[in-house]
């Protein structure tokens, strides 16, 4: 069956497009939940002027009237808005918070009460007038100005992927690098690298008689565009448009799993472009061979060029990223705070960045310096969510193993240095890696007093500062426990 013979039902099943009234209802619930969570005062202060501008692919856009409010809401509530939206509608991946005025916001003066949940909140405001005005939409999604190669911090876990991306930007469609397949977990820099390639190509070729044309879009957007083209009977035009670019980038390809018709269309586009000597860049959350559910022939072709993965970040990389981002912000962030964040938020760069941004917004707003205390306070909720689920028992086991002592010595009364020091290390790590209080930790170590734990924590801290070899040892243990 050719793709253009999809029935309406198939189209609906494949697209899952959310209609505007549904979206409005979802938005109402998202606001309601947020209002409940943050309370009346906070809601009134920061959030009530939010309006929904619309849905584009997997991204909803929310507007706020000023830059200040936007930054504040982004920093303080961005993650929450994302999570609440995703809970309402799993197709939504991102909430874009921007400055803008929708008709609804304009007509509501500041003295009006908090909009009731059933107030008319949706207005397809002039966020992207160009897209609505033009019958033939831009093929590429907007590139994020922050996602350049310069802003990408390179370390062991991502240096290979970075090198491949640079190479493709230097010499698109060169042997062995086409397609470039980037994969890795959420928030590790796939999208950043793709935008980096696009920026690099576009800016360097801008002055040439034939600037390089790049189309970047999420796989989801690809699908929406494809389906829209079928609906408006303009598939030929869509295909031509796709095949006219020099570089095609499709982000988050895993989205096409189970979307057979779109996959097939992508496969044909892919082949046509590669045959014409054009560059393809694809990202996904898994390697081609692990993307089960993609058609075999597509998987095979995807693995034929260069496959590069972005590994989970290391402590060192997280520190470098924090340093780079703090420096850009112009707000001084003490090394201690960065170390603390790099230890606590290990999941991915997006969350790390989110935490730092919140700290910076807070510092700017209240004109107070960033300190460790302020960090713990401002990031209370994030830190709680990231609290390791390492148990004290695990710590004791690992440490005993590492120093080759018996597990029972963790709680025994023996005071020989060969036993006491590892015990102190375990107490120190228990304090760092769990949210247990000092007395609770003491109890787990043979009912010792909390002052003993306190002493152990400061003693180990001192030793680590004095003895680099010892510090490395403890760090190693920490990392083993964290992974
Ligand atoms: P992914 O697409 O893999 O989910 P993104 O590319 O969207 O992840 O990255 C998430 C966020 O983290 C972005 O704001 C990005 O700029 C930032 N980021 C990720 N890796 C790095 C890095 N190595 N250096 C600087 N910023 C990074
Ligand atoms: Mg991404």
């Amino acid at each position: 069956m050719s793709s253009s013979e999809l029935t309406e039902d198939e189209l609906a099943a494949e697209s899952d497009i959310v209609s505007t009234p549904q979206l409005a209802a979802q938005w109402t619930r998202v606001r309601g939940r947020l209002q409940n969570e943050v309370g009346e005062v906070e809601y009134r202060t920061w959030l009530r002027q939010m309006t929904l501008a619309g849905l584009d692919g997997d991204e909803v856009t929310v507007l706020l009237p000023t830059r200040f409010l936007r930054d504040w809401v982004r920093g303080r509530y961005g993650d929450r808005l994302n999570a609440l939206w995703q809970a309402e509608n799993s197709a939504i991946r991102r909430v874009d918070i921007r400055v803008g005025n929708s008709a609804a916001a304009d007509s509501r003066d500041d003295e009006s009460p908090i909009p009731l949940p059933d107030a008319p909140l949706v207005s397809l405001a002039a966020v992207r007038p160009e897209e609505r005005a033009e019958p033939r939409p831009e093929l590429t999604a907007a590139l994020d100005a922050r996602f350049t190669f310069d802003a990408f911090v390179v370390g062991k876990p991502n240096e290979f992927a970075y090198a491949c991306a640079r190479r493709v930007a230097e010499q698109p469609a060169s042997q062995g690098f086409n397609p470039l397949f980037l994969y890795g977990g959420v928030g590790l820099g796939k999208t950043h690298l793709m935008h980096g390639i696009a920026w690099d190509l576009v800016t360097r070729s801008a002055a040439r008689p034939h600037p390089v044309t790049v189309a970047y879009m999420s796989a989801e957007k690809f699908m929406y565009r494809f389906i829209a083209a079928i609906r408006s009977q303009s598939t030929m035009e869509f295909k031509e448009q796709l095949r006219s670019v020099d570089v095609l980038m499709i982000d988050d390809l895993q989205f096409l799993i189970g979307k057979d018709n779109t996959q097939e269309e992508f496969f044909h586009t892919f082949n046509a472009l590669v045959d014409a000597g054009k560059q393809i860049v694809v990202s996904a959350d898994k390697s081609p061979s692990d993307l089960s559910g993609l058609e075999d022939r597509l998987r095979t072709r995807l693995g034929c060029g260069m496959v590069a993965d972005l590994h989970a970040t290391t402590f060192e990389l997280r520190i470098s990223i924090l340093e780079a981002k703090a420096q850009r912000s112009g707000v001084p962030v003490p090394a201690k705070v960065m170390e603390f964040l790099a230890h606590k938020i290990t999941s991915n760069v997006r969350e790390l960045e989110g935490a730092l941004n919140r700290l910076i917004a807070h510092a700017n707003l209240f004109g107070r310096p960033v300190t460790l205390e302020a960090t713990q306070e401002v990031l209370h909720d994030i830190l709680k969510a990231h609290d390791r689920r390492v148990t004290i028992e695990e710590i004791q086991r690992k440490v005993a193993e590492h120093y080759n002592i018996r597990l029972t010595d963790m709680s025994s009364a023996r005071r020989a240095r060969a036993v006491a020091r590892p015990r102190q290390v375990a107490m120190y790590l228990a304090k760092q890696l769990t949210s247990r209080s000092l007395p609770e930790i003491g109890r787990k170590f043979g009912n010792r007093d909390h002052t003993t734990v306190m002493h152990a924590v400061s003693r180990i801290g001192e030793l680590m500062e004095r003895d680099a070899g010892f510090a490395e040892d403890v760090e190693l243990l920490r990392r083993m426990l964290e992974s």
Side-chain angles (χ1 to χ4, degrees), residues 77-124:
Y77 308 101
D79 291 346
R80 219 34 224 148
L81 269 172
N82 261 322
L84 288 169
W85 263 112
Q86 274 167 14
E88 270 300 327
N89 181 344
S90 59
I92 288 171
R93 297 282 163 82
R94 219 172 89 80
V95 180
D96 190 17
I97 303 169
R98 300 193 185 194
V99 180
N101 275 305
S102 71
D106 283 343
S107 65
R108 220 173 31 234
D109 71 57
D110 260 13
E111 296 312 306
S112 65
I114 297 172
L116 292 170
D118 58 355
L121 295 163
V122 175
S123 76
L124 289 163

Side-chain angles (χ1 to χ4, degrees), residues 46-60:
W46 307 112
L47 299 162
R48 76 159 163 177
Q49 297 192 66
M50 280 189 306
T51 51
L52 181 65
L55 174 75
D56 183 12
D58 58 354
E59 190 173 299
V60 286

Side-chain angles (χ1 to χ4, degrees), residues 55-59 128 131 137-142 216-229 238 242 249-252 255-256 262:
L55 174 75
D56 183 12
D58 58 354
E59 190 173 299
R128 291 189 181 85
E131 283 200 10
E138 270 264 16
L139 195 57
T140 185
Y216 162 89
M217 70 187 103
S218 65
E220 198 171 11
K221 184 101 159 208
F222 179 87
M223 187 191 74
Y224 288 125
R225 286 279 162 85
F226 173 51
I227 288 172
F238 176 67
L242 272 174
M249 302 195 189
I250 303 288
D251 207 349
D252 289 320
F255 181 82
L256 293 193
T262 309

Side-chain angles (χ1 to χ4, degrees), residues 245-444:
V245 301
D246 298 313
V247 181
L248 177 66
M249 302 195 189
I250 303 288
D251 207 349
D252 289 320
L253 193 81
Q254 71 274 4
F255 181 82
L256 293 193
I257 288 174
K259 314 284 181 359
D260 295 345
N261 295 302
T262 309
Q263 239 182 75
E264 173 152 351
E265 183 57 31
F266 175 66
F267 181 70
H268 292 312
T269 308
F270 180 104
N271 288 333
L273 282 168
V274 172
D275 290 347
K278 310 294 183 63
Q279 174 77 44
I280 307 267
V281 183
V282 166
S283 86
D285 61 352
K286 294 193 193 72
S287 72
S289 52
D290 288 335
L291 277 176
S292 53
L294 274 198
E295 269 189 75
D296 283 345
R297 53 181 188 166
L298 177 56
R299 266 197 295 155
T300 309
R301 289 224 66 174
L302 285 170
C304 274
M306 182 56 70
V307 177
D309 56 345
L310 289 135
H311 299 276
T313 59
T314 56
F315 179 74
E316 289 74 19
L317 179 60
R318 292 196 291 278
I319 289 285
S320 316
I321 289 172
L322 287 169
E323 280 170 355
K325 305 221 176 216
Q327 206 195 348
R328 266 173 196 251
S329 80
V331 171
V333 179
K336 275 251 170 301
V337 169
M338 296 202 239
E339 277 165 33
F340 176 77
L341 291 179
H343 275 312
K344 289 283 182 183
I345 303 174
T346 55
S347 48
N348 66 53
V349 184
R350 186 173 300 138
E351 301 217 12
L352 192 65
E353 199 175 27
L356 182 71
N357 288 345
R358 203 202 266 192
L359 278 184
I360 288 167
H362 197 265
N364 277 333
L365 184 71
F366 295 110
R368 284 202 220 117
V370 176
T371 62
L372 201 52
E373 291 70 46
T375 302
Q376 277 164 316
E377 200 182 299
V378 175
L379 301 180
H380 177 74
D381 51 343
I382 299 184
L383 295 172
K384 216 161 108 193
H386 283 267
D387 225 351
R388 320 218 159 292
R389 263 150 247 131
V390 182
T391 63
I392 293 181
E393 287 76 11
E394 260 174 272
I395 294 172
Q396 292 178 329
R397 208 172 327 115
K398 264 273 178 317
V399 175
E401 231 169 66
H402 182 80
Y403 288 102
N404 219 354
I405 65 170
R406 283 193 308 252
L407 182 57
T408 48
D409 277 332
M410 284 290 162
S411 36
S412 76
R414 289 182 60 199
R415 301 176 77 167
R417 157 101 51 105
V419 176
R421 185 59 38 83
R423 192 188 292 131
Q424 286 182 320
V425 169
M427 288 182 193
Y428 170 87
L429 289 170
K431 181 72 193 113
Q432 298 263 315
L433 300 181
T434 74
S435 49
R436 301 291 163 156
S437 66
L438 295 172
E440 279 174 307
I441 295 172
R443 270 198 290 285
K444 299 263 187 182

